[in-house]
Amino acid sequence: MHRKSTFRHFFFFLSIISFTLFLQQTSVDAASLRAIIVCDTQADSIGKSVAADLTKVRQEILKVSHYIGLEAKLSIFEKNNVNESVVSYLEMQEVDPDDIVIFFFSGHGYRTESKVGNIWPNLYFTPINKGVDFYQIIQIINQKNPRLLIAIADCCNNVMEESYAPSVLKNSNLALRTNRKDYTKHNYQTLFLKQAGTIIISSSEPGEYSWATKLGGLYTLALFESLNKEVMTTPVADWRIILDNASLKIIRRDIGQTPQYELLTQPIPK
Amino acid sequence: MKLRPAILPLITTAFCLIAANSCTTQQRDVKKETSELNIIIGREDFQAIKNAASIRLYTIRSPSSETVATAPKKIEIVGAAKNQVIQILTLDQSYILDKTKKCLFVPEYALEFEGQTPLLILISPSCKQLKIIKSSGSATLDIDPAFDQLMNIINHVK
């Protein structure tokens, strides 16, 4: 009787250990590419351009997911869903330490004179006529300690008079040449899997406008063109080169738009 | 040497053809520019600006066209200033037409055009943009190239 009971205990503990190990394994495997895409398609006069950005960004994220082998979890906010729920969704999100989080916004943006010491724009949400501080969003996500955060805001950063300013809320592109496939995959993995930290981007400096075309935001188009070129043409892709080239494409147009970024990443030790 | 007399008429004809082609291209360009603005704002609105009997300037304090009616300040733009405003607004060169700013439009001034077809244009200095209010919606235009000129007139008359 006693021996039988000991066996039972042994198997019980073995099951618990196996289950714990299984959970740990699942947790490691659960690393994912989380993308929160907020496209204010109701934004006055730029709705079509923003819709084009949404299509482009979705395609590019699925491409990244394919090459780095992480499941893409897309959360898309468009039309009337561009509201307070974006912030509450971000607050509620559980992020694993291995996760990559991409936040993308396209729409109108602004800042006020009183916004000192914060170079990032306020993102304007048309359906609720309110702004959200881009930096606040970055902080919310960063508190969850993702391995890599890439936050992009393609919007104006021009100064509005305080009294007028809205209040602020405190796949298919995979048909690449086969001989370059491995090269591209390696670069995507270097950029997304072998880096930790934060990348913050806004398409214009304080006081400047950002421009949109029928094909999409000039910066969004420049960024992904630069990313695609870098992953396909260089042996070791580098975020700084991608971001500098994207900025250069805009600056060369001489339209008074200067993208800005903060690159706080470091390679993950092998 | 013997060929020269035969070549000369050919060269002359070629020059004429090139000149004619260049002239046609220029005409086409002018026509294209005008039609681009016409397509964006509509022929009727374009004519409403061009043939306005009078233009009134309103200083508004709220991001809504409804406030124009109760706006505290209303000034008639007359004489040379009126002609200048019409010229600025109807010139293609006054606008950037191939792209637009991702800027939150907040109007501070309004121009009311009276004539056969009344028209209202809102001006947002912080965006350097105009918004033409139409019954079928609105059209936003980036007036960066002529913004300072337009604001000089507004500041002068107000």
Side-chain angles (χ1 to χ4, degrees):
Chain A
M1 269 305 270
H2 179 72
R3 182 176 279 180
K4 203 174 179 181
S5 170
T6 312
F7 267 117
R8 268 188 193 161
H9 279 102
F10 175 73
F11 281 113
F12 177 70
F13 282 116
L14 195 67
S15 321
I16 287 175
I17 288 163
S18 307
F19 185 65
T20 313
L21 285 172
F22 168 75
L23 280 182
Q24 277 180 352
Q25 185 63 37
T26 313
S27 164
V28 170
D29 290 342
S32 58
L33 174 64
R34 291 170 187 269
I36 301 103
I37 305 169
V38 184
C39 282
D40 190 0
T41 47
Q42 291 183 350
D44 185 27
S45 79
I46 56 165
K48 282 182 185 165
S49 176
V50 172
D53 284 343
L54 174 57
T55 308
K56 178 77 181 164
V57 170
R58 192 163 22 190
Q59 273 177 2
E60 293 294 334
I61 287 169
L62 291 175
K63 189 157 71 170
V64 170
S65 159
H66 170 82
Y67 279 112
I68 66 175
L70 286 188
E71 185 197 353
K73 292 179 179 169
L74 300 181
S75 306
I76 295 170
F77 294 84
E78 57 172 325
K79 298 176 185 167
N80 278 328
N81 292 324
V82 181
N83 54 36
E84 299 93 337
S85 66
V86 173
V87 179
S88 47
Y89 175 82
L90 290 172
E91 283 168 341
M92 300 281 283
Q93 275 299 293
E94 283 183 17
V95 175
D96 291 327
D98 273 357
D99 281 350
I100 297 169
V101 178
I102 298 175
F103 177 87
F104 176 86
F105 173 80
S106 178
H108 289 305
Y110 65 96
R111 64 187 297 107
T112 51
E113 289 284 0
S114 63
K115 196 172 182 181
V116 184
N118 178 347
I119 59 170
W120 308 111
N122 292 328
L123 319 178
Y124 180 67
F125 290 4
T126 303
I128 54 168
N129 187 28
K130 280 194 188 325
V132 177
D133 185 358
F134 185 40
Y135 193 60
Q136 186 199 342
I137 283 176
I138 294 158
Q139 282 177 316
I140 293 170
I141 304 171
N142 250 343
Q143 278 167 5
K144 298 172 189 293
N145 294 316
R147 188 172 54 71
L148 180 66
L149 165 64
I150 302 172
I152 305 161
D154 188 354
C155 61
C156 279
N157 198 358
N158 66 307
V159 179
M160 276 181 78
E161 201 181 297
E162 206 84 40
S163 56
Y164 297 145
S167 58
V168 178
L169 270 178
K170 292 246 168 218
N171 81 48
S172 55
N173 240 7
L174 300 173
L176 298 166
R177 275 181 259 171
T178 324
N179 60 339
R180 284 188 168 176
K181 199 175 171 185
D182 289 339
Y183 199 44
T184 308
K185 186 177 178 178
H186 168 77
N187 273 330
Y188 271 113
Q189 289 176 342
T190 303
L191 293 172
F192 290 89
L193 294 179
K194 295 173 185 169
Q195 297 279 317
T198 307
I199 303 170
I200 312 170
I201 308 161
S202 75
S203 54
S204 49
E205 281 184 355
E208 290 184 342
Y209 302 116
S210 288
W211 292 84
T213 67
K214 284 174 188 169
L215 298 173
L218 284 184
Y219 185 73
T220 299
L221 293 171
L223 176 65
F224 289 112
E225 196 184 320
S226 177
L227 172 67
N228 286 321
K229 192 180 169 195
E230 180 76 357
V231 294
M232 288 194 290
T233 59
T234 54
V236 183
D238 186 331
W239 273 117
R240 195 170 294 280
I241 292 168
I242 292 165
L243 298 174
D244 284 345
N245 282 340
S247 297
L248 211 58
K249 279 177 201 292
I250 303 296
I251 293 163
R252 276 189 187 144
R253 285 174 168 263
D254 203 19
I255 48 171
Q257 182 181 345
T258 321
Q260 58 181 3
Y261 68 82
E262 260 183 28
L263 186 62
L264 307 165
T265 57
Q266 53 187 18
I268 296 171
K270 285 176 186 173
Chain B
M1 287 296 279
K2 276 182 186 175
L3 284 173
R4 189 177 279 173
I7 288 170
L8 274 174
L10 277 174
I11 293 170
T12 317
T13 316
F15 267 117
C16 286
L17 281 171
I18 291 165
N21 184 47
S22 155
C23 197
T24 320
T25 314
Q26 275 181 352
Q27 279 177 344
R28 208 184 298 137
D29 285 347
V30 170
K31 202 179 167 188
K32 192 186 163 196
E33 277 178 16
T34 310
S35 64
E36 200 170 350
L37 187 60
N38 265 334
I39 288 166
I40 293 168
I41 71 169
R43 190 173 168 75
E44 201 182 356
D45 291 344
F46 187 82
Q47 293 302 323
I49 299 169
K50 208 163 188 177
N51 305 320
S54 67
I55 306 174
R56 281 189 209 100
L57 169 73
Y58 293 85
T59 305
I60 52 176
R61 282 284 162 197
S62 166
S64 158
S65 56
E66 282 82 16
T67 55
V68 171
T70 54
K73 211 169 180 185
K74 182 172 87 173
I75 298 160
E76 188 92 20
I77 300 178
V78 290
K82 180 192 163 195
N83 295 336
Q84 278 179 312
V85 168
I86 291 173
Q87 199 190 8
I88 289 169
L89 296 181
T90 51
L91 269 179
D92 290 354
Q93 293 91 321
S94 299
Y95 304 100
I96 294 172
L97 298 170
D98 63 332
K99 51 186 172 286
T100 188
K101 290 185 281 285
K102 300 179 114 174
C103 181
L104 184 58
F105 189 96
V106 179
E108 292 179 36
Y109 302 101
L111 292 171
E112 189 182 41
F113 292 77
E114 273 206 344
Q116 242 182 347
T117 321
L119 188 77
L120 187 67
I121 295 181
L122 304 176
I123 303 167
S124 170
S126 63
C127 289
K128 296 185 183 174
Q129 285 178 329
L130 305 180
K131 186 174 282 191
I132 299 175
I133 307 296
K134 304 135 72 87
S135 53
S136 57
S138 65
T140 305
L141 294 168
D142 294 84
I143 193 161
D144 300 54
F147 176 74
D148 290 341
Q149 214 183 335
L150 181 65
M151 286 312 294
N152 279 343
I153 299 169
I154 288 174
N155 290 328
H156 184 71
V157 298
K158 80 174 185 183

